[in-house]
């Protein structure tokens, strides 16, 4: 049984990936500093899988702690590296927090796990900015980052590509996620935003449950069919499964080079107004929303070309918008009834 380290494994995408790795027969060890997640997730993971996962509370910025952990866990064959700070707006206010956390963590891992290791990295479609053509392929140019957060993803990709080029023991797959939404079918795990959600779907669910006021649609005068901005929303469980596919591809030596990049989306774009309509229809809930000005830094539309992921990774998104909106709402209701604190 291969042992996989999941950094950020108590976080939103990490926790769903732990479940899918377990279902696929992998042994999992979780490292997280709980800076943006709750220890109760381990109980939730136990309720879903029947397994208490090995968990180490470590801040990956602590080079000694990471070194010690690596020495004690020499049987780890693969790392899925989720742990990072991820709030775009906060990164503009606190750039050094983002450069420190997102780079030190990555560099400490690469330095400490210096024997043969398979590495899967959480990248983002944010590296494309506003693409020149759609759907955007992996070959599209990386555009100047709109935020320090986005810049950490671009530079982290470069760090990994350059390191893999001179390190035969290191093989890397960077997954560029589009917009992850939704929750596990059990509603026992899901997204737990800190404070007022900046992202659309958690704002919708919190507004629907009465925790927030009306939703503001950021712009209805874009050059799109209904005037609102378009994104490629991907169910978090599909996204989690893409990580299992990446780990498998690396372990089976199927990679074409030491560093590969894949788009992880559905290949379909949905507008903000379509998301609102889908949520209302599938959940039978009326949403309260207003049209507001455009949000600074937003791209007009983006959705991914997922041919390469389908063909080479052997992965394809299965869950549709209805399931994304249904599961996001079930999770919001669950966490209201069963708060972690
Ligand atoms: P999350 O905040 O829910 O999970 C990240 C986890 O990492 C948290 O549990 C946090 O406590 C932990 N962490 C942060 N810094 C750490 C450190 N120094 N040491 C140990 N643990 C640390 O975020 P998420 O949405 O699950 O995102 C996971 C990854 O995917 C991130 O790298 C993020 O940038 C990337 N990503 C997310 C999205 C998205 O929209 N959610 C989109 C594209 C890429
Ligand atoms: C989606 C759409 C908004 C909130 C961000 C990061 C990106 C990636 C995913 C990590 C946009 C609109 C939103 C609201 C709205 N994360 N919206 N009202 O901006 O595509 O991407 O998260 O890598 O890097 O930038 O996602 O969910 O914030 O917005 O109208 O209250 O919803 O304008 O068109 P975004 P989002």
């Amino acid at each position: 049984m291969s042992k996989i380290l999941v950094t950020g494994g108590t976080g939103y995408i990490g926790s769903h990936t732990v479940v899918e790795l377990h279902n696929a027969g992998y042994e999992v060890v979780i490292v997280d500093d709980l800076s943006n997640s709750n220890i109760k997730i381990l109980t939730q993971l136990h309720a879903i899988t029947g397994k208490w996962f090995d968990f180490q509370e470590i801040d990956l910025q602590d080079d000694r702690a990471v070194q010690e952990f690596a020495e004690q866990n020499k049987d780890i064959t693969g790392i899925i590296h989720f742990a990072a700070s991820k709030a775009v707006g906060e990164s503009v206010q606190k750039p050094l927090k983002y450069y420190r956390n997102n780079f030190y963590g990555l560099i400490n891992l690469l330095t400490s796990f210096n024997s043969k290791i398979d590495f899967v990295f959480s990248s983002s479609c944010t590296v494309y900015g506003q693409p020149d053509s759609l759907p955007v392929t992996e070959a599209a140019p990386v555009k100047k980052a709109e935020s320090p957060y986005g810049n950490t993803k671009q530079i982290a990709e470069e760090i990994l590509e350059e390191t893999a080029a001179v390190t035969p023991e290191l093989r890397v797959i960077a997954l560029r996620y589009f917009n992850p939404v939704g929750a596990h079918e059990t509603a026992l795990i899901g997204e737990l935003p800190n404070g007022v959600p900046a992202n659309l779907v958690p704002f919708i669910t919190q507004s629907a449950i009465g925790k927030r006021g009306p939703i503001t649609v950021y712009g209805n005068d874009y050059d799109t069919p209904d005037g609102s901005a378009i994104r490629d929303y991907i169910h978090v469980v599909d996204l989690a499964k893409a990580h299992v596919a990446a780990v498998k591809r690396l372990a089976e030596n199927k990679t074409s080079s030491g560093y590969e990049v894949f788009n992880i989306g559905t290949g379909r774009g949905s507008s903000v107004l379509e998301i609102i309509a889908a949520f209302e229809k599938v959940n039978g809930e009326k949403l309260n929303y207003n049209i507001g000005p455009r949000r600074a830094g937003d791209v007009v539309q983006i959705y991914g070309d997922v041919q390469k992921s389908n063909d080479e990774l052997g992965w394809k998104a299965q869950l549709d918008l209805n399931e994304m909106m249904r599961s996001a709402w079930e999770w919001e209701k669950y966490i209201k009834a069963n708060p972690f604190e």
Side-chain angles (χ1 to χ4, degrees):
M1 205 202 262
S2 309
K3 187 165 163 184
I4 308 296
L5 165 61
V6 180
T7 78
T10 47
Y12 172 44
I13 306 167
S15 57
H16 289 82
T17 302
V18 168
V19 172
E20 297 307 322
L21 284 168
H22 173 79
N23 290 345
Y26 290 92
E27 187 183 346
V28 176
V29 48
I30 298 172
V31 164
D32 203 298
D33 67 354
L34 303 174
S35 57
N36 199 40
S37 55
N38 195 296
I39 191 73
K40 179 101 200 292
I41 288 296
L42 297 175
T43 311
Q44 305 298 93
L45 291 173
H46 177 255
I48 295 170
T49 63
K51 168 114 188 136
W52 288 106
F53 290 98
D54 183 357
F55 171 77
Q56 307 273 331
E57 186 175 343
I58 295 172
D59 179 352
L60 294 177
Q61 295 177 72
D62 181 344
D63 52 354
R64 277 213 194 155
V66 177
Q67 182 72 47
E68 238 172 64
F69 174 82
E71 275 160 19
Q72 288 160 6
N73 291 274
K74 287 195 187 297
D75 53 341
I76 286 174
T77 56
I79 300 176
I80 306 181
H81 182 43
F82 292 107
S85 301
K86 66 157 183 178
V88 175
E90 186 193 44
S91 82
V92 175
Q93 300 307 318
K94 300 178 182 167
L96 293 180
K97 172 180 171 182
Y98 278 68
Y99 289 121
R100 193 182 297 119
N101 195 29
N102 296 3
F103 293 152
Y104 283 9
L106 174 66
I107 292 166
N108 286 339
L109 282 173
L110 293 175
T111 311
S112 299
F113 286 88
N114 51 13
S115 53
K116 190 178 172 326
I117 204 84
D118 295 338
F119 200 96
V120 181
F121 178 66
S122 299
S123 191
S124 168
C125 70
T126 191
V127 303
Y128 297 121
Q130 177 61 64
D132 301 324
S133 63
L134 290 168
V136 63
T137 72
E138 291 85 350
V142 165
K143 297 272 178 75
K144 184 173 164 38
E146 284 280 353
S147 68
Y149 167 75
N151 210 18
T152 69
K153 292 297 173 195
Q154 297 189 358
I155 297 171
E157 283 197 5
E158 290 175 356
I159 291 172
L160 285 162
E161 185 170 14
E162 290 164 4
T163 308
V166 293
T167 316
E169 312 79 56
L170 173 70
R171 284 170 313 170
V172 180
I173 291 182
L175 300 180
R176 291 177 176 163
Y177 316 157
F178 284 71
N179 287 54
V181 297
H184 194 257
E185 60 179 355
T186 59
L188 290 169
I189 52 175
E191 190 168 6
L192 267 180
N194 231 335
V196 182
N199 295 114
L200 178 63
V201 174
F203 197 98
I204 287 178
T205 57
Q206 290 195 7
S207 173
I209 210 143
K211 196 169 167 186
R212 307 282 164 207
I215 301 148
T216 302
V217 174
Y218 297 141
N220 70 345
D221 56 354
Y222 284 113
D223 185 14
T224 60
D226 66 19
S228 65
I230 290 175
R231 299 288 182 274
D232 184 343
Y233 296 90
I234 164 108
H235 197 295
V236 68
V237 172
D238 276 331
L239 174 57
K241 288 179 178 167
H243 293 79
V244 179
V247 163
K248 203 159 165 270
R249 179 174 171 84
L250 288 162
E252 291 174 356
N253 290 315
K254 287 191 174 149
T255 53
S256 54
S257 69
Y259 177 80
E260 291 184 325
V261 178
F262 292 97
N263 282 343
I264 304 296
T266 64
R268 276 180 296 104
S270 305
S271 73
V272 176
L273 292 170
E274 282 170 343
I275 292 291
I276 289 174
F279 181 92
E280 290 186 326
K281 186 154 182 253
V282 73
N283 295 315
E285 295 282 331
K286 195 94 199 90
L287 293 171
N288 194 356
Y289 67 90
N290 308 310
I291 307 296
R294 297 178 178 190
R295 182 170 69 177
D298 270 356
V299 300
V300 181
Q301 57 175 325
I302 183 164
Y303 46 95
D305 184 314
V306 288
Q307 200 64 50
K308 188 181 173 200
S309 299
N310 295 173
D311 294 347
E312 294 180 34
L313 208 51
W315 167 90
K316 197 175 194 313
Q318 306 287 342
L319 302 168
D320 64 10
L321 210 52
N322 288 340
E323 183 49 29
M324 298 180 213
M325 295 305 124
R326 193 200 62 77
S327 61
W329 181 227
E330 290 305 315
W331 161 248
E332 188 67 61
K333 288 187 288 184
Y334 171 85
I335 199 66
K336 185 181 182 189
N338 307 274
F340 283 175
E341 262 115 8

